[in-house]
Amino acid sequence: MDKFLRRKDSSSRTDDEESTTSVTKNLKKVVKRKYDEDYIKNGFSWCGDETAPRPQCIICGDQLSNESMVPSKLKRHLYSSHPSCANKDKQYFRGA
């Protein structure tokens, strides 16, 4: 049981190594996706800020996060929430 509770000796590291590893662990790259005109075929337009647009469903008005602006997630919303509109073309969504 003691072998699971023991910590590795951190005295062998220098202060520079420790500070750089802790900084790199805490940094997370934030990706802001841009709207593509082809997303209209999945029934989505965009709303919000131009630098970080959010996809908005044309049919139900739901707003998804910027991270969901991926074609596979937009298709999943269309097929799961609006199966009757899943096989429609771009012109249907532009007129809706």
Side-chain angles (χ1 to χ4, degrees), residues 43-45 47 54-64 77 81-82:
F44 279 88
S45 181
C47 64
R54 296 179 61 187
Q56 182 176 17
C57 180
I58 294 173
I59 301 166
C60 64
D62 283 350
Q63 292 182 7
L64 305 178
H77 174 83
S81 299
H82 315 290

Side-chain angles (χ1 to χ4, degrees), residues 51-91:
T51 58
R54 296 179 61 187
Q56 182 176 17
C57 180
I58 294 173
I59 301 166
C60 64
D62 283 350
Q63 292 182 7
L64 305 178
S65 66
N66 183 273
E67 291 82 24
S68 342
M69 200 178 293
V70 181
S72 61
K73 291 184 180 181
L74 300 178
K75 284 181 187 178
R76 181 176 60 189
H77 174 83
L78 181 66
Y79 281 91
S80 64
S81 299
H82 315 290
S84 61
C85 300
N87 296 324
K88 304 290 184 182
D89 60 345
K90 286 183 182 180
Q91 295 302 325

Side-chain angles (χ1 to χ4, degrees), residues 18-31:
E18 189 174 322
S19 64
T20 57
T21 56
S22 64
V23 170
T24 56
K25 288 181 183 177
N26 294 335
L27 290 179
K28 184 177 179 182
K29 186 176 180 182
V30 177
V31 177

